[in-house]
């Protein structure tokens, strides 16, 4: 395993998600791996966030480029602790440090996927009518863009977790246990991540309010309520 831990940390190794290589990084307690994940989250999610915010104006792009990586890093910290508690109960014997390292890797992979999706998101933003004071949350262009960008983030998060499935199988020795752990972790990511995302609001804006980092109205309502209402209006309007 010592030879495995000497593998360099690179985007290629992350996206291939080889179980032996990742296991070597985790066991070696490599600070380089941690910083690589943090930088990947800042660059990948920051670029995607900046594209989202560009729909309104450059200042919103700056704010969103800061907030989306912050959402991911805060969710990583919370779920690293939560998953460290859930893992032994579900049959995965890992320490809190190892749990945090695995969760950090999954979000780093997700951020790299978001970075790759940034050109697609930019195409949507560029071809969507600009956000103005006359735009309403019930407007079709608002809801389509909102749902599309949320789907991209959900897709990146799911794929980031699926990439560690071989590592979970190696740790547990059972496909069934690994799948159970993965589903529990996905549920935790969804619940905690959506709440943090709702408070920081990296990709939902109120066109009648000025550009602000965190508005007072962001503490009202919920992420799921907003997404459900947007989908309902699009389908049944």
């Amino acid at each position: 395993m010592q030879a495995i831990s000497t593998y360099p940390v690179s985007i290629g190794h992350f996206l291939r998600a080889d179980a032996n290589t990742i296991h070597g990084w985790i066991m070696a307690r490599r600070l380089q791996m941690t910083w690589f994940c943090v930088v990947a989250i800042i660059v990948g999610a920051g670029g995607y966030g900046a594209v989202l915010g560009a729909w309104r104006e450059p200042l919103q792009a700056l704010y969103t480029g800061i907030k989306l990586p912050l959402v991911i890093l805060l969710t990583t910290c919370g779920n690293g602790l939560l998953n460290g508690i859930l893992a032994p109960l579900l049959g995965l014997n890992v320490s809190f440090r190892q749990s945090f390292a695995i969760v950090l890797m999954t979000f780093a992979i997700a951020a790299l996927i978001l970075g790759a999706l940034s050109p697609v998101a930019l195409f949507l933003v560029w071809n969507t009518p600009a956000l103005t004071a006359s735009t309403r949350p019930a407007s079709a262009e608002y809801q389509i863009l909102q749902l599309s960008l949320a789907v991209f983030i959900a897709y990146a998060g799911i794929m980031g977790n699926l990439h560690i499935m071989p590592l979970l199988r190696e740790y547990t020795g059972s496909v069934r246990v690994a799948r159970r752990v993965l589903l529990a972790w996905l549920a935790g990511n969804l619940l905690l991540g959506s709440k943090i995302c709702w408070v920081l609001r990296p990709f939902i804006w109120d066109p009648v309010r000025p550009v602000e980092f965190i508005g007072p109205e962001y503490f009202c309502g919920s992420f799921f309520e907003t997404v459900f209402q947007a989908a309902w209006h699009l389908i049944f309007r």
Side-chain angles (χ1 to χ4, degrees), residues 4 55 187 196:
I4 292 175
W55 187 41
I196 296 175

Side-chain angles (χ1 to χ4, degrees), residues 56 130-136 207-209:
R56 181 163 190 175
L131 181 69
T132 65
S134 62
T135 305
R136 294 290 178 265
V208 301
R209 293 188 60 86

Side-chain angles (χ1 to χ4, degrees), residues 212-230:
E212 50 195 355
F213 193 80
I214 299 179
E217 77 281 5
Y218 288 4
F219 296 94
C220 303
S222 71
F223 172 83
F224 299 102
E225 178 184 357
T226 301
V227 173
F228 175 79
Q229 288 178 349

Side-chain angles (χ1 to χ4, degrees), residues 101-183:
I102 295 173
V103 172
L104 185 61
M105 286 182 180
T106 64
F107 279 111
I109 295 171
L112 292 175
I113 295 174
L114 284 178
L117 288 172
S118 294
V120 182
L122 180 60
F123 176 82
L124 290 175
V125 170
W126 185 267
N127 289 279
T128 301
L131 181 69
T132 65
S134 62
T135 305
R136 294 290 178 265
S139 302
E141 66 273 12
Y142 184 95
Q143 294 169 348
I144 291 174
L145 185 61
Q146 182 185 69
L147 289 175
S148 299
L149 300 179
V151 167
F152 286 168
I153 293 176
Y155 170 79
I158 292 172
M159 293 305 298
N161 279 270
L162 289 178
H163 269 67
I164 65 162
M165 187 64 178
L167 179 64
L168 295 180
R169 286 200 301 264
E170 180 174 305
Y171 269 115
T172 62
S174 169
V175 175
R176 182 176 60 84
V177 175
R179 187 180 298 115
R180 186 169 58 198
V181 172
L182 180 65
L183 290 175

Side-chain angles (χ1 to χ4, degrees), residues 1-236:
M1 191 62 65
Q2 181 65 30
I4 292 175
S5 65
T6 62
Y7 287 179
V9 180
S10 68
I11 294 178
H13 285 112
F14 258 83
L15 296 182
R16 284 193 295 271
D18 177 72
N20 290 329
T21 303
I22 294 178
H23 180 74
W25 288 337
I26 294 173
M27 298 306 296
R29 301 170 179 259
R30 296 188 63 180
L31 185 61
Q32 179 189 2
M33 182 274 295
T34 301
W35 280 112
F36 179 88
C37 290
V38 172
V39 171
I41 290 172
I42 293 174
V43 174
Y48 185 81
V51 169
L52 309 191
W55 187 41
R56 181 163 190 175
E57 60 178 77
L59 181 58
Q60 182 69 62
L62 174 63
Y63 285 166
T64 310
I66 295 172
K67 289 197 288 184
L68 189 56
L70 187 58
V71 167
I72 293 178
L73 291 173
L74 290 175
T75 304
T76 299
C77 293
N79 280 339
L81 296 175
L82 176 62
N83 294 342
I85 296 173
L86 290 177
L89 300 177
L90 297 172
L92 177 62
N93 188 21
V94 294
S95 65
F96 278 104
R97 185 195 65 80
Q98 292 170 338
S99 170
F100 177 81
I102 295 173
V103 172
L104 185 61
M105 286 182 180
T106 64
F107 279 111
I109 295 171
L112 292 175
I113 295 174
L114 284 178
L117 288 172
S118 294
V120 182
L122 180 60
F123 176 82
L124 290 175
V125 170
W126 185 267
N127 289 279
T128 301
L131 181 69
T132 65
S134 62
T135 305
R136 294 290 178 265
S139 302
E141 66 273 12
Y142 184 95
Q143 294 169 348
I144 291 174
L145 185 61
Q146 182 185 69
L147 289 175
S148 299
L149 300 179
V151 167
F152 286 168
I153 293 176
Y155 170 79
I158 292 172
M159 293 305 298
N161 279 270
L162 289 178
H163 269 67
I164 65 162
M165 187 64 178
L167 179 64
L168 295 180
R169 286 200 301 264
E170 180 174 305
Y171 269 115
T172 62
S174 169
V175 175
R176 182 176 60 84
V177 175
R179 187 180 298 115
R180 186 169 58 198
V181 172
L182 180 65
L183 290 175
W185 285 10
L186 279 172
N189 291 343
L190 175 62
L191 294 175
L192 180 60
S194 62
K195 187 58 181 178
I196 296 175
C197 192
W198 178 257
V199 173
L200 290 179
R201 206 69 62 88
F203 58 89
I204 303 172
W205 314 277
D206 186 347
V208 301
R209 293 188 60 86
V211 175
E212 50 195 355
F213 193 80
I214 299 179
E217 77 281 5
Y218 288 4
F219 296 94
C220 303
S222 71
F223 172 83
F224 299 102
E225 178 184 357
T226 301
V227 173
F228 175 79
Q229 288 178 349
W232 179 271
H233 284 297
L234 278 176
I235 296 173
F236 298 103

